[in-house]
C-alpha cells in the first residue's frame, strides 16, 4: 500500500488523548489539517476511514533531540534523512528537531542551508537547532539570521574538545546575544575538566575497555555543568534548556532554578529512564557507549519520580544511528563513537515503562512526547496538538499486543538496539503525517521527500 492521500480521513472509534484529558471521539482530517473532533462526524463518499477501535489516538510524537546523518567531524553515522525519518515514522514520530552543525569556517546561514539540503529527503516534518561552534566576538550579529531562517535555538557544549567545547566566557557571551534576539539556548552539560581528568586517569591505568566508559564521565561532571549553566543563564538573563539529564540531581537543580523564577526547561531520555550502569559489567558494554553515560541503578526510579511530578518538560532520544560495526571497531571506549539509536522505540518504551508501570497518566505521556516539546521549541499548536486547525499529525496506538524489542524488526542501519529483549506493551498501528497515512499495520507507506521544514517563530 503506497501512501495514499485523500481529501478527508476519519479516525473512528478511538480514545483521544490530550495533555488534559482522555475521551472517546472520532477525529476528522481534511487535507493536511485536523478539521473536527466529535461523534457522528460527516463521512463523504471518498472519506478514508481508519478504524481505531480499542486504540489510543495521540498527537504525533515530536522527538526534539535527534542526530540523523550525523557528522561530528570525527565520526559519521551512515544513515540519511530518508532512512532516519522512515524509522521515526514507523515508531509514531511525526516531527523531529535535529541539528545543523556549524563546521569551522562556515557562517550560521551556510550551516543551516547545508543541513536543509540534506534534509530534503525526509519523510516527516523537521525543525532544526543550530550547533554554534565558531562565532568569535564581533560576529554575534549572525545570530539574527537564525531568527529569519526559523531555526530559533542554539546548541552549546561544555565539553568535547577540540570541535564543540565552549568556555564560560563564550557561553555567557552567546547566551546574552541569544537573549537579546529571543533565541533559546540548549546546552550539553558535562564539566570538561572532570571528564578529561577522569578519562586520562583511566587511559594512564590502561583501563580503556568499554566497561570503563561509565567511570570516565562521572555524574558530578554533569551536575556541576548544569549548575554552572543555570548561573550563567541567570547572569545573561537568558532562558535555557538542559538536554539529556541523566541524574535526578541534575533535574533537581533545574527545578530549583525554576522555583527561583528562571525560565528553564529540561529533558531526559529513555536510556536514562530504562537502563543503568550495571550493563557496563555485562557481556556487551559496547551497546551502551554514549555521553553522558548510564548511571547508578537507583537513578532511573529517581528520574521517573521527577518525570511523574512534572519536573521534566520532555522526553527525547538523542538518537544516533552508528552501526554495530562502528561501535565494535575497537574495544577502546575512547575510540568508540558515542550515541544510541532510539527514535523508533521512543513511544512504545515510554508507554510501557511510563504508563503501564504506573509512573505516568496518558495525558502526561502526550505532554512529554508531543505537547511540551512543541511548546518549548515553538511548534505549538501547529504541531503536538489534537486541535482543529493543527497539522494532522496523529498516531494510532494499539495498547493490546505484547511484544519484545528486537533490532531485526527496527528500521535503523545500526543493526542493534540498546533495548534488545525488552518487553513492550502495545504497538503503533498507524502514523499519519499532515493527513497522509505513512505507516500502517507494520508497513511503511510514506515516500522520500514528502517531509517539510518547519520554520519556528520567536
Ligand atoms: Zn545530542
Amino acid at each position: 500500500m503506497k501512501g495514499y492521500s485523500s481529501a478527508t480521513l476519519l479516525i473512528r472509534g478511538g480514545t483521544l488523548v490530550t495533555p488534559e484529558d482522555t475521551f472517546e471521539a472520532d477525529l476528522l482530517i481534511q487535507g493536511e489539517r485536523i478539521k473536527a473532533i466529535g461523534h457522528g462526524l460527516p463521512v463523504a463518499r471518498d472519506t478514508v476511514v481508519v478504524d481505531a477501535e480499542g486504540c489510543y489516538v495521540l498527537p504525533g510524537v515530536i522527538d526534539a533531540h535527534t542526530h540523523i546523518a550525523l557528522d561530528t567531524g570525527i565520526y559519521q553515522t551512515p544513515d540519511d534523512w530518508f532512512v532516519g525519518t522512515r524509522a521515526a515514522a514507523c515508531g509514531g514520530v511525526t516531527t523531529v528537531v535535529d541539528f545543523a552543525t556549524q563546521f569551522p569556517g562556515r557562517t550560521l546561514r551556510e550551516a543551516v542551508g547545508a543541513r536543509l539540503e540534506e534534509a530534503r529527503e525526509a519523510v516527516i516534518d523537521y525543525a532544526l537547532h543550530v550547533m554554534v561552534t565558531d562565532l568569535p566576538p564581533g560576529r554575534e550579529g549572525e545570530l539574527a539570521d537564525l531568527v529569519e531562517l526559523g531555526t530559533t535555538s542554539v546548541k552549546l557544549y561544555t565539553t568535547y574538545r577540540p570541535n564543540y567545547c565552549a568556555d564560560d566566557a563564550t557561553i555567557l557571551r552567546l547566551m546574552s546575544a541569544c537573549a537579546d534576539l529571543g533565541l533559546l539556548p540548549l546546552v550539553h552539560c558535562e564539566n570538561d575538566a572532570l571528564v578529561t581528568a577522569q578519562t586520562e586517569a583511566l587511559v594512564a591505568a590502561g583501563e580503556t575497555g568499554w566497561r570503563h566508559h561509565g567511570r570516565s564521565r562521572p555524574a558530578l561532571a554533569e551536575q556541576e555543568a548544569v549548575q554552572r549553566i543555570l548561573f550563567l543563564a541567570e547572569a545573561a538573563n537568558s532562558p535555557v534548556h538542559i538536554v539529556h539529564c541523566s541524574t535526578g540531581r541534575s533535574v533537581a537543580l533545574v527545578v530549583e532554578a525554576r522555583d527561583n523564577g528562571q525560565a528553564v526547561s529540561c529533558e531526559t531520555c529513555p536510556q536514562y529512564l530504562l537502563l543503568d550502569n550495571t550493563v557496563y559489567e555485562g557481556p556487551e558494554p559496547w551497546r551502551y557507549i554514549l555521553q553522558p553515560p548510564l548511571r547508578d541503578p537507583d537513578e532511573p526510579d529517581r528520574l521517573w519520580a521527577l518525570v511523574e511530578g512534572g519536573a521534566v518538560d520532555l522526553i527525547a532520544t538523542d538518537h544516533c544511528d552508528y552501526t554495530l560495526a562502528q561501535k565494535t571497531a575497537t574495544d577502546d571506549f575512547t575510540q568508540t563513537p558515542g550515541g544510541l539509536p532510539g527514535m523508533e522505540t521512543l513511544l512504545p518504551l515510554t508507554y510501557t515503562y511510563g504508563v503501564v508501570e504506573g509512573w505516568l497518566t496518558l495525558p502526561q505521556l502526550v505532554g512529554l512526547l508531543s505537547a511540551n516539546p512543541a511548546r518549548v521549541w515553538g511548534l505549538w499548536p501547529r504541531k503536538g496538538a489534537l486541535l482543529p486547525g493543527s497539522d494532522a499529525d496523529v498516531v494510532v496506538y494499539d495498547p493490546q499486543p505484547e511484544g519484545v524489542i528486537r533490532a531485526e524488526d527496527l528500521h535503523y542501519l545500526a543493526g542493534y538496539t540498546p533495548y534488545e529483549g525488552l518487553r513492550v506493551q502495545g504497538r503503533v498501528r498507524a502514523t499519519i503525517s499532515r493527513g497522509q497515512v505513512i505507516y500502517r499495520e507494520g508497513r511503511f507507506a510514506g515516500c522520500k521527500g514528502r517531509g517539510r521544514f518547519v520554520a519556528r517563530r520567536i
Side-chain angles (χ1 to χ4, degrees):
M1 175 172 48
K2 208 60 197 162
Y4 54 82
S5 68
S6 158
T8 60
L9 192 67
L10 183 73
I11 303 175
R12 190 157 61 189
T15 301
L16 271 61
V17 187
T18 72
E20 295 80 30
D21 206 0
T22 62
F23 53 95
E24 281 172 27
D26 300 340
L27 187 139
L28 184 67
I29 294 165
Q30 191 161 58
E32 300 194 338
R33 302 283 175 88
I34 295 172
K35 171 81 174 166
I37 290 164
H39 294 281
L41 298 172
V43 179
R45 200 172 343 141
D46 69 342
T47 299
V48 173
V49 176
V50 175
D51 173 25
E53 199 81 41
C55 295
Y56 297 120
V57 178
L58 317 171
V61 171
I62 299 172
D63 190 342
H65 187 154
T66 65
H67 298 281
I68 294 167
L70 174 65
D71 180 355
T72 67
I74 301 168
Y75 303 108
Q76 290 84 32
T77 60
D79 58 335
D80 59 28
W81 276 76
F82 172 65
V83 168
T85 53
R86 179 181 59 187
C90 296
V93 176
T94 53
T95 306
V96 292
V97 191
D98 204 279
F99 295 82
T101 305
Q102 181 198 19
F103 291 102
R106 296 274 190 89
T107 65
L108 298 184
R109 185 178 286 278
E110 286 166 344
V112 172
R115 194 62 166 158
L116 287 175
E117 197 55 44
E118 291 175 31
R120 286 163 65 106
E121 296 195 326
V123 174
I124 57 170
D125 292 352
Y126 49 95
L128 295 175
H129 308 293
V130 181
M131 285 170 51
V132 175
T133 61
D134 179 22
L135 205 66
R139 273 179 60 191
E140 295 86 354
E142 275 186 42
L143 290 166
D145 294 347
L146 302 186
V147 178
E148 188 193 314
L149 291 163
T151 50
T152 54
S153 41
V154 166
K155 176 83 178 281
L156 301 170
Y157 289 82
T158 62
T159 187
Y160 294 139
R161 292 181 192 282
N163 47 355
Y164 296 169
C165 190
D167 62 18
D168 286 0
T170 302
I171 290 170
L172 185 63
R173 180 171 57 82
L174 294 177
M175 277 186 170
S176 298
C178 284
D180 290 343
L181 291 163
L183 299 169
L184 178 52
L186 59 159
V187 186
H188 175 122
C189 295
E190 284 183 293
N191 179 298
D192 190 61
L194 281 175
V195 165
T196 302
Q198 197 66 23
T199 304
E200 285 175 353
L202 288 166
V203 170
E207 300 189 325
T208 56
W210 289 314
R211 68 195 184 87
H212 302 293
H213 168 71
R215 288 198 290 139
S216 72
R217 313 182 81 90
L220 204 55
E222 174 177 304
Q223 293 151 358
E224 187 284 331
V226 169
Q227 171 94 312
R228 179 161 39 95
I229 288 302
L230 292 169
F231 275 105
L232 292 175
E234 186 179 5
N237 200 20
S238 173
V240 68
H241 177 84
I242 308 295
V243 297
H244 49 53
C245 292
S246 68
T247 72
R249 191 171 171 190
S250 306
V251 177
L253 290 166
V254 168
V255 170
E256 186 188 333
R258 198 184 280 144
D259 288 347
N260 287 334
Q262 271 186 264
V264 188
S265 52
C266 73
E267 72 194 30
T268 188
C269 313
Q271 54 269 33
Y272 304 118
L273 291 164
L274 301 184
L275 304 172
D276 64 59
N277 59 13
T278 57
V279 298
Y280 296 125
E281 297 299 332
E284 294 180 303
W286 58 266
R287 284 177 190 269
Y288 314 100
I289 305 292
L290 80 164
Q291 299 90 11
L294 302 175
R295 302 304 190 186
D296 290 340
D298 53 353
E299 286 293 355
D301 275 6
R302 211 176 275 167
L303 282 170
W304 271 124
L306 287 156
V307 173
E308 177 187 34
V312 174
D313 295 85
L314 60 104
I315 299 176
T317 65
D318 201 3
H319 169 91
C320 286
D321 201 357
Y322 289 115
T323 62
L324 193 153
Q326 287 175 297
K327 296 294 262 190
T328 58
T330 88
D331 60 0
D332 178 339
F333 79 82
T334 69
Q335 304 299 316
T336 301
L340 312 176
M343 291 188 290
E344 195 171 350
T345 52
L346 172 61
L347 174 58
L349 289 175
T350 311
Y351 175 75
T352 303
Y353 294 92
V355 177
V356 178
E357 292 291 316
W359 290 109
L360 303 177
T361 63
L362 282 163
Q364 278 181 301
L365 176 79
V366 163
L368 290 159
L369 297 185
S370 301
N372 297 354
R375 286 196 173 99
V376 167
W377 298 119
L379 297 162
W380 199 87
R382 176 170 169 193
K383 301 291 188 189
L386 295 182
L387 292 171
S390 293
D391 280 359
D393 294 349
V394 183
V395 190
V396 179
Y397 193 82
D398 182 348
Q400 291 304 327
E402 288 178 10
V404 170
I405 303 270
R406 291 187 203 289
E408 65 195 55
D409 298 330
L410 301 172
H411 296 77
Y412 308 131
L413 299 182
Y416 81 97
T417 164
Y419 309 110
E420 185 75 31
L422 279 191
R423 178 187 60 80
V424 281
Q425 182 72 43
R427 64 180 169 83
V428 174
R429 184 184 280 189
T431 305
I432 295 157
S433 164
R434 276 185 284 101
Q436 195 175 13
V437 178
I438 57 170
Y439 175 85
R440 192 173 186 179
E441 306 288 2
R443 291 176 71 96
F444 174 70
C447 60
K448 195 183 269 193
R450 63 166 300 286
R452 283 191 206 141
F453 171 62
V454 187
R456 295 176 286 140
R457 289 203 202 97
I458 297 296

